[in-house]
Amino acid sequence: MELLQLIIGGLANGCIYGLVALGFVMIYKASEGVNFAQGDMMMLGAFIALGFGNSDEMGLPFFIAVILAMVLMFGIGWGVERVVVRRIFGQPQFALVILTIALGFVFRFVAGSIWGYTPLVLETPFAGQNLRGGGIVISLADLVTIGVTLVLTIALWAFFAFTKIGLAAQAASQNQMAAYIVGVPVMRINSLIWGLSGAVATVAGVLYATRGAIDPNIGLLGIKAFAAAVIGGLGSLPGALLGGLIIGVVEPVAGRYAPGELAKMSPYIIMLIVLVTRPGGLFSQIQMKKV
Amino acid sequence: MSLLEVQDLAIHFGGVKAVDGVSFDVAPGEVFAIIGPNGAGKSTIFNLISRVYNPTRGTIRFDGQDITGLKAHDIAGLGIARTFQNIELFDHSTVLDNLLMGRHTHRATNFVQDILFLPKVRREEREHRRRVEQVIEFLELEAYRKKMIAGLPYGVRKVVEIGRALAIGPRLILLDEPASGLSVEETRDVAFWIEDMRRDMGLTVLMVEHDMSLVNQVSDRVLAVANGQPLALGSPAEVQAHPDVMAAYLGTGAAA
């Protein structure tokens, strides 16, 4: 029973890692590089939702606040590509790494100067509600997190697999020149993907905030989510989610049953094992690129 | 009236005049070849027409419309398709998906219709698939339909790229060295296909090619370029007999 309880909590945690990892994968596909500000975009999205929704701020209804935050973060992601990332197009991948690490600092500073560094709680309709059955307790927040993640992952998968824009994005990530020549506006698609990844990060941030207080440094979770994306194989959306779930479940289980600090190391130990045994990740679709 | 008119086209990379004052026009239904030694600027002319590069000066008109200011992704929609000397395919997709991607500009359904897979989307999808199957049949790619590009031999990939260009449903097709790296038999197939593209599909073909037997066999007119400048324009025989062209190829130093 205890193990089951740990696993359910771990799955919910893993969903959040998975959602941030989805953002890594989308941008990796679009810009051929890693967006190390992904965790900070999650943080910023959560704070923007808090700004719109909390009763001592703008006090909008929760769902409207979340949707507005997603729209705003879409705009921020889109703008980052348009104004900053596009300028380093064609530069070595490392340029994007440094650029996005810097962006992460900027986002943290912006959030800190608006909302301060003391942890704040996002007011949600699911706070403190639990479901009981068969000796285990599931918080409504966990259940919502798992449900929303499932729906969002399926929606994103359908978007990339079936829609004209989604297929164009896949084409552009495989070969930009070929994409241009069949009529794909590659640059516009890249901006869109960055926007989409901002919106997904917001969902991750809001789900994170349903489970505890937030402060401008929660974006560091992005490093764990990056491990999740690598475990899944950087180019695969389902792989990213699976990587997140693995890390999410192993962490609390290791925390309970394994000695000392092993729980904190576990995501990276798993990443190392995967990199050694399957360098392309569990769902390797694309050829491995050095990141 | 010409389908493609290129006037005084030039592009300079720093001090290098890769293309410098090239003019020609291609009539509808014509097979037009550009020849010249390596580094003459032939592929650069293609990159200018397909809007990958912006010219330093000159204009490009397609079907009477000035396309010099358009973007690379606008060209397919106008009915211009191309292949690349170094093959640019979606390597981690199947042959079928590569060809279907050629139909991109013809997809008229919107996002919501796509997600819901409405009857209209299904109808359109069937039509695209039918067009792609015609291309597969034409190029005899049946055996490779579901194969990933990354594992295919060079010659097949080359044909798939021609297939994707045809799937676009173009009026003008630009072939960048369609015979390079191909065996004698494969080159003979390419010659037949070019004939058929013109005769059965009503296409206009502009190609860059080194294989003079292919050029002689299929082209109506030939433009020879060297060092970015035009040397001679005329029938294949005329151009090959031109003293400047012979000098450019044989390097007697007598070139203009």
Side-chain angles (χ1 to χ4, degrees), chain A residues 84-151:
Chain A
V84 192
V85 175
R86 196 173 289 191
R87 282 174 212 283
I88 58 158
F89 184 74
Q91 301 294 321
Q93 283 185 354
F94 198 62
L96 187 68
V97 171
I98 295 297
L99 183 81
T100 53
I101 288 174
L103 266 175
F105 278 106
V106 172
F107 289 156
R108 250 171 277 168
F109 169 76
V110 168
S113 55
I114 298 176
W115 289 284
Y117 291 90
T118 37
L120 296 176
V121 175
L122 174 69
E123 295 164 12
T124 69
F126 350 99
Q129 298 184 45
N130 295 319
L131 303 169
R132 277 163 227 280
I136 53 170
V137 183
I138 306 173
S139 76
L140 189 58
D142 281 357
L143 217 56
V144 168
T145 301
I146 293 170
V148 167
T149 304
L150 268 179
V151 170

Side-chain angles (χ1 to χ4, degrees), chain A residues 180-195:
Chain A
Y180 269 123
I181 235 61
V182 297
V184 173
V186 175
M187 290 297 178
R188 222 179 295 159
I189 295 281
N190 283 355
S191 308
L192 188 95
I193 296 296
W194 274 79

Side-chain angles (χ1 to χ4, degrees), chain B:
Chain B
M1 200 180 92
S2 327
L3 187 64
L4 182 74
E5 288 171 73
V6 172
Q7 264 169 13
D8 191 30
L9 200 59
I11 183 167
H12 303 167
F13 298 107
V16 180
K17 297 178 174 178
V19 175
D20 197 26
V22 169
S23 302
F24 61 93
D25 52 79
V26 183
E30 189 174 27
V31 176
F32 190 102
I34 301 175
I35 62 166
N38 287 324
K42 306 179 298 294
S43 289
T44 309
I45 294 173
F46 268 28
N47 284 335
L48 287 163
I49 296 171
S50 56
R51 307 299 313 111
V52 177
Y53 294 154
N54 282 318
T56 311
R57 64 163 202 273
T59 55
I60 306 158
R61 299 175 83 78
F62 178 70
D63 200 19
Q65 181 193 353
D66 188 344
I67 62 166
T68 322
L70 295 185
K71 298 259 191 291
H73 60 255
D74 297 323
I75 293 304
L78 290 176
I80 302 177
R82 73 167 286 186
T83 64
F84 293 85
Q85 195 179 336
N86 300 317
I87 308 183
E88 302 282 357
L89 287 167
F90 304 112
D91 286 347
H92 302 275
S93 301
T94 62
V95 169
L96 184 62
D97 285 344
N98 267 269
L99 299 187
L100 282 168
M101 205 58 216
R103 303 295 303 162
H104 179 76
T105 55
H106 298 280
R107 274 185 82 156
T109 51
N110 67 34
F111 182 76
V112 179
Q113 290 169 328
D114 285 346
I115 285 276
L116 298 175
F117 207 51
L118 293 181
K120 188 180 172 209
V121 179
R122 271 172 273 169
R123 250 196 327 273
E124 234 195 42
E125 189 98 16
R126 272 197 294 271
E127 171 61 14
H128 293 320
R129 183 61 197 261
R130 194 181 63 76
R131 297 290 294 264
V132 165
E133 283 301 326
Q134 286 174 350
V135 172
I136 289 176
E137 197 188 347
F138 175 63
L139 297 174
E140 291 161 21
L141 284 169
E142 290 90 346
Y144 305 103
R145 207 181 269 122
K146 300 277 181 191
K147 294 260 172 38
M148 293 284 254
I149 299 297
L152 292 177
Y154 181 85
V156 178
R157 282 187 280 143
K158 202 116 189 154
V159 177
V160 174
E161 212 194 12
I162 296 175
R164 189 185 58 202
L166 291 174
I168 290 174
R171 286 196 284 162
L172 173 67
I173 185 166
L174 312 182
L175 303 173
D176 197 346
E177 302 201 16
S180 77
L182 297 188
S183 68
V184 177
E185 296 83 51
E186 286 167 332
T187 305
R188 203 186 50 209
D189 285 342
V190 170
F192 286 136
W193 288 329
I194 291 174
E195 296 279 3
D196 287 348
M197 283 179 208
R198 185 229 313 254
R199 201 182 52 232
D200 300 341
M201 303 182 186
L203 291 188
T204 306
V205 181
L206 176 61
M207 70 171 181
V208 163
E209 187 49 66
H210 280 297
D211 184 327
M212 288 315 292
S213 69
L214 178 64
V215 170
N216 288 332
Q217 198 183 335
V218 299
S219 15
D220 301 307
R221 284 191 301 153
V222 176
L223 170 72
V225 288
N227 302 318
Q229 292 177 334
L231 291 181
L233 175 66
S235 73
E238 282 165 13
V239 168
Q240 278 170 84
H242 196 284
D244 288 349
V245 176
M246 294 174 75
Y249 272 95
L250 301 173
T252 55

